[in-house]
């Protein structure tokens, strides 16, 4: 359910093998056969194998073309759709191959009718009963013995359609089992096999300092925060898994799933959907008295009709745009808050947790968590340096932050004078993320740059912005989102960690965590980097 920060037309994750990269790849996009809309986070399982990949939020994935040449089988599944099986040889090179999934749902009227007339849908259809039973049977449906899952992990900031500070890794999470204390340091541990900052994306230390550690402020006034000083983004992600942590407090307003979830929300049974032919109850919910409260929590949960296992839980907390300071709804207020996907609500954080059945038990499939942040600082967007090129009649201007390319093209935004005489701008070209090359029509500055002095120039530039939206020479005020995501690629049942394995210290940044020289074959696992640029 994680709602995106952007209205994206296209985004495909780059697939990078940790040790080797084959070059040519096959691309595909998974879409709803009826609406032609992307199917987010669909699972692509490799036939006759225990591992696979997960499509991105826009339904896109890519695989090395050598797997196409091997003609491996792909099993593509997602909640609410009929599972599709196809051979990789059907994927053509140099195009984005479309794969369509047909919806497989039963609307509420049909669910009630079948409950009365047949055995297909049976039992108590009261949503609070279904959820209470699902919570009470967690230890029956999830592994209680030691196990692990090997995953692709990433954390990053997203500001104005751009990725910042993208850290990526391959890691293995070792879990003692769901009958143990959740995420106790001695019982659930993570080992890194690869982790690095992806320098193909923007790096901004100001954003890092504003969104890590004890300054995780979700609004400008500091009224909404994550209430933690943990600097380890993986641990922060794990804390926000209310299914794994069913017996401890997680986040507003689920808190402790076992004791608070049902009490704090109103529920509606919507329909029955299917995953791999297994019928799931789809139940939506919202916090009680949400029309009168300043902050609202809402989401949906998918629960197996057969076993009452929770397959997925989506949740978001947002501000009520019509809430007044007197605790009543004010319908006359106009909303000027940050909008997400056309909504008039300010989303403070979002969580999506999905599990996938393996045999009789459920194992983590993916976890995504992001929170809003507001940054106000004293590091303005400004000019760093200027170099003159008399031969090309051009000025190379360097800035301290990446430029928004959509704001630089208007030549009327540039005014140059040399010793009081105006230079006419001919063209403006972005040479790198931080550099502009401005060519002049006239050039009466001599033939040697050494003869020129910066104090003889009067440069005025207006209306250009950096990639965070900041204007030139103005103080910073940025709204963005901090993401943490983990995507399981292989599950190992009843597995204990190897001797000598070094684990992540949960109180410290992942950047300081030890990297293990593993005996596992890392070429089987994928670092799914997004493309550097996104498109509106």
């Amino acid at each position: 359910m994680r709602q995106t920060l952007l209205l994206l037309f296209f985004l495909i994750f780059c697939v990078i093998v940790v040790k080797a990269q084959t070059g040519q790849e096959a691309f595909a996009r998974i879409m709803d056969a009826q609406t032609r809309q992307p199917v987010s986070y669909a699972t692509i399982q490799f036939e006759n194998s225990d591992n696979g990949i997960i499509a991105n939020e826009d339904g896109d994935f890519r695989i090395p073309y050598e797997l196409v040449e091997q003609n491996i089988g792909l099993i593509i599944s997602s909640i609410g759709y009929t599972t599709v099986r196809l051979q990789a040889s059907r994927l053509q090179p140099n195009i984005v191959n479309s794969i369509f999934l047909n919806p497989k749902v039963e609307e509420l009227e049909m669910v009630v009718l079948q409950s009365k007339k047949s055995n297909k849908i049976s039992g108590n259809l009261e949503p609070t009963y279904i959820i209470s039973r699902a919570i009470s049977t967690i230890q029956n449906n999830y592994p209680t013995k030691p196990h692990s899952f090997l995953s692709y992990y990433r954390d990053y900031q997203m500001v104005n359609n751009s990725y910042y500070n993208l850290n990526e890794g391959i890691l293995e999470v070792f879990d003692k089992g769901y009958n143990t204390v959740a995420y106790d340091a001695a019982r659930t541990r993570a080992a890194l096999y690869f982790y690095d900052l992806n320098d193909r994306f923007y790096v901004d230390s100001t954003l890092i300092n504003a969104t890590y550690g004890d300054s995780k402020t979700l609004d400008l006034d500091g009224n909404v925060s994550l209430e933690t000083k943990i600097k380890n983004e993986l641990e922060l992600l794990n804390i926000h898994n209310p299914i794994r942590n069913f017996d401890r407090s997680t986040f507003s307003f689920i808190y402790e799933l076992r004791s608070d979830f049902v009490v704090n929300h109103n529920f509606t049974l919507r329909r029955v959907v299917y995953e791999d032919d297994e019928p799931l109850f789809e139940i939506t919910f919202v916090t009680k008295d949400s029309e009168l409260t300043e902050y609202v929590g809402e989401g949906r949960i998918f629960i197996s009709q057969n076993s009452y296992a929770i397959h997925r839980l989506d949740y978001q907390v947002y501000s009520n745009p019509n809430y007044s300071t007197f605790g009543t709804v004010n319908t006359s207020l106009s909303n000027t808050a940050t909008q997400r996907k056309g909504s008039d609500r300010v989303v403070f954080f979002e969580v999506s947790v999905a599990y996938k059945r393996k045999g009789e038990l459920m194992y983590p499939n993916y976890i995504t968590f992001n929170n809003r942040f507001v940054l106000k600082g004293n590091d303005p967007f400004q000019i760093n340096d200027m170099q003159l090129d008399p031969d090309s009649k051009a000025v190379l201007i360097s800035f301290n932050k990446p430029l928004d390319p959509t704001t630089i093209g208007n030549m009327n935004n540039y005014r140059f004078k040399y010793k009081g005489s105006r230079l006419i701008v001919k063209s403006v070209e972005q040479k790198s993320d931080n550099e502009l090359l401005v060519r002049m029509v006239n050039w009466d500055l001599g033939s040697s740059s050494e003869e020129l002095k910066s104090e003889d120039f009067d440069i005025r530039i207006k209306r250009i912005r950096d990639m965070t939206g900041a204007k030139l020479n103005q103080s910073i005020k940025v709204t963005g989102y901090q993401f943490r995501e983990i995507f399981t690629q292989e599950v190992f049942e009843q597995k204990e960690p190897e001797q000598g394995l070094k684990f992540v210290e949960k109180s410290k940044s992942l950047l300081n965590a030890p990297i293990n020289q593993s005996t596992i074959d890392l070429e089987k696992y994928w670092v799914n980097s997004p493309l550097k640029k996104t498109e509106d």
Side-chain angles (χ1 to χ4, degrees):
M1 191 194 90
R2 190 193 79 183
Q3 297 198 18
T4 183
L5 311 179
L6 320 170
L7 290 176
L8 295 179
F9 170 74
F10 176 72
L11 173 63
I12 291 184
F13 286 114
C14 301
V15 177
I16 302 174
V17 180
V18 175
K19 291 186 177 179
Q21 194 166 12
T22 59
Q24 191 177 16
E25 295 167 312
F27 302 85
R29 177 178 301 143
I30 304 171
M31 294 186 290
D32 186 301
Q34 295 181 1
T35 67
R36 296 303 198 261
Q37 294 299 308
V39 177
S40 299
Y41 304 129
T43 299
I44 302 94
Q45 188 73 29
F46 300 152
E47 199 168 27
N48 301 320
S49 172
D50 289 330
N51 68 320
I53 57 176
I54 297 174
N56 67 11
E57 188 174 21
D58 296 293
D60 299 322
F61 70 93
R62 61 170 71 182
I63 60 175
Y65 206 72
E66 63 181 33
L67 296 182
V68 176
E69 293 172 335
Q70 295 170 12
N71 197 25
I72 65 169
L74 304 177
I75 304 171
I76 302 171
S77 62
S78 183
I79 290 178
Y81 294 91
T82 299
T83 297
V84 167
R85 288 171 169 80
L86 58 86
Q87 296 303 121
S89 59
R90 291 178 56 184
L91 302 180
Q92 300 298 313
N94 305 318
I95 65 169
V96 178
N97 296 266
S98 296
I99 300 174
F100 296 100
L101 301 186
N102 288 303
K104 189 173 183 180
V105 302
E106 292 174 344
E107 298 303 330
L108 182 60
E109 294 81 2
M110 183 63 68
V111 172
V112 174
L113 182 64
Q114 290 172 339
S115 177
K116 292 180 179 179
K117 294 187 176 182
S118 73
N119 293 324
K120 186 175 182 182
I121 304 292
S122 60
N124 192 336
L125 294 181
E126 173 61 36
T128 54
Y129 168 81
I130 296 171
I131 291 173
S132 297
R133 183 166 176 181
I135 295 172
S136 68
T137 56
I138 281 178
Q139 291 180 317
N140 297 331
N141 287 313
Y142 300 84
T144 58
K145 295 181 179 180
H147 60 281
S148 74
F149 50 98
L150 207 145
S151 307
Y152 163 57
Y153 165 84
R154 67 184 184 185
D155 59 69
Y156 58 93
Q157 289 98 39
M158 182 71 79
V159 180
N160 281 359
N161 299 12
S162 298
Y163 292 89
Y164 284 82
N165 307 315
L166 174 63
N167 297 295
E168 300 175 287
I170 296 294
L171 57 82
E172 189 170 10
V173 176
F174 295 89
D175 194 320
K176 286 287 187 179
Y178 282 44
N179 60 338
T180 63
V181 178
Y183 286 100
D184 179 86
R187 296 183 180 271
T188 305
R189 297 175 288 180
L192 280 177
Y193 302 126
F194 169 79
Y195 187 74
D196 201 8
L197 174 68
N198 191 326
D199 58 11
R200 296 187 301 108
F201 295 82
Y202 300 131
V203 177
D204 190 307
S205 59
T206 304
L207 291 179
I208 292 177
N209 294 335
T211 57
Y212 286 85
D214 55 5
S215 58
K216 296 180 189 297
T217 300
L218 279 62
D219 68 342
L220 193 58
D221 298 326
N223 295 325
V224 185
S225 69
L226 297 183
E227 298 183 354
T228 180
K229 294 185 178 182
I230 291 175
K231 294 183 179 180
N232 186 304
E233 294 299 327
L234 173 62
E235 178 63 10
L236 199 60
L237 174 64
N238 289 333
I239 289 172
H240 284 77
N241 181 350
I243 299 173
R244 176 60 183 92
N245 302 308
F246 66 95
D247 56 354
R248 62 172 283 187
S249 183
T250 53
F251 55 82
S252 309
F253 295 93
I254 287 183
Y255 299 120
E256 185 179 314
L257 187 74
R258 181 174 58 182
S259 58
D260 301 319
F261 184 42
V262 172
V263 174
N264 291 339
H265 298 82
N266 293 320
F267 300 91
T268 302
L269 175 60
R270 290 295 186 189
R271 57 186 181 175
V272 168
V273 302
Y274 287 80
E275 181 180 33
D276 297 331
D277 296 325
E278 183 173 1
L280 312 177
F281 294 113
E282 179 182 350
I283 299 172
T284 59
F285 52 85
V286 64
T287 48
K288 292 183 177 179
D289 300 321
S290 58
E291 68 279 4
L292 302 176
T293 56
E294 184 174 1
Y295 305 110
V296 180
E298 71 172 23
R300 56 182 177 171
I301 189 170
F302 297 87
I303 297 173
S304 170
Q305 174 205 330
N306 300 327
S307 66
Y308 289 88
I310 301 172
H311 282 235
R312 195 172 94 204
L313 187 149
D314 306 321
Y315 201 80
Q316 68 172 216
V317 170
Y318 59 89
S319 64
N320 183 351
N322 295 320
Y323 176 82
S324 77
T325 56
F326 299 101
T328 58
V329 173
N330 185 345
T331 57
S332 66
L333 290 177
S334 62
N335 177 64
T336 58
T338 302
Q339 297 187 3
R340 302 257 334 254
K341 244 183 183 177
S343 171
D344 60 354
R345 62 182 61 166
V346 178
V347 178
F348 289 113
F349 70 84
E350 297 169 289
V351 179
S352 184
V353 180
Y355 281 75
K356 190 80 171 175
R357 184 175 299 283
K358 183 176 183 179
E360 297 299 318
L361 299 175
M362 306 293 295
Y363 292 88
N365 196 31
Y366 65 82
I367 309 171
T368 74
F369 166 54
N370 74 81
N371 63 268
R372 179 178 186 260
F373 68 84
V374 179
L375 168 62
K376 199 173 181 181
N378 297 316
D379 183 22
F381 172 44
Q382 59 190 8
I383 295 174
N384 263 355
D385 189 25
M386 182 179 68
Q387 298 179 13
L388 306 178
D389 184 357
D391 294 334
S392 300
K393 297 182 180 180
V395 179
L396 182 66
I397 305 174
S398 300
F399 298 84
N400 66 328
K401 295 178 182 293
L403 297 155
D404 181 349
T406 65
T407 67
I408 66 175
N410 189 343
M411 288 183 289
N412 294 325
N413 292 340
Y414 306 88
R415 182 177 177 180
F416 290 76
K417 285 186 178 181
Y418 178 68
K419 293 183 177 180
S421 298
R422 185 174 181 183
L423 303 174
I424 306 301
V425 175
K426 178 181 180 181
S427 65
V428 179
E429 178 186 355
Q430 186 170 354
K431 298 297 290 183
S432 68
D433 290 341
N434 296 55
E435 294 179 319
L436 284 182
L437 184 66
V438 183
R439 291 187 172 88
M440 307 299 178
V441 174
N442 57 323
W443 190 269
D444 299 320
L445 310 182
S447 60
S448 173
S449 60
E450 295 178 358
E451 301 172 1
L452 305 176
K453 299 179 180 179
S454 59
E455 56 264 27
D456 292 331
F457 283 84
D458 179 13
I459 300 178
R460 300 183 184 182
I461 302 176
K462 59 183 180 180
R463 297 192 183 93
I464 72 168
R465 297 175 181 265
D466 70 8
M467 288 302 295
T468 68
K471 295 180 180 178
L472 195 64
N473 297 321
Q474 292 191 5
S475 59
I476 297 173
K477 185 179 178 182
V478 175
T479 299
Y481 288 82
Q482 170 73 43
F483 282 82
R484 312 137 188 95
E485 300 176 316
I486 190 168
F487 303 94
T488 299
Q489 297 186 5
E490 187 168 6
V491 170
F492 301 94
E493 300 174 273
Q494 301 187 32
K495 180 180 178 181
E496 295 275 11
E498 303 171 4
Q499 282 193 342
L501 207 59
K502 299 176 182 178
F503 298 103
V504 172
E505 290 189 44
K506 299 184 179 185
S507 61
K508 296 182 179 180
S509 169
L510 281 175
L511 293 173
N512 300 321
I515 305 297
N516 290 276
Q517 301 298 318
S518 175
T519 57
I520 65 174
D521 182 8
L522 285 182
E523 293 188 7
K524 292 174 56 180
Y525 307 105
W526 314 84
V527 175
N528 297 311
S529 304
L531 294 179
K532 181 176 181 182
K533 299 293 184 182
T534 58
E535 301 180 37
D536 292 336

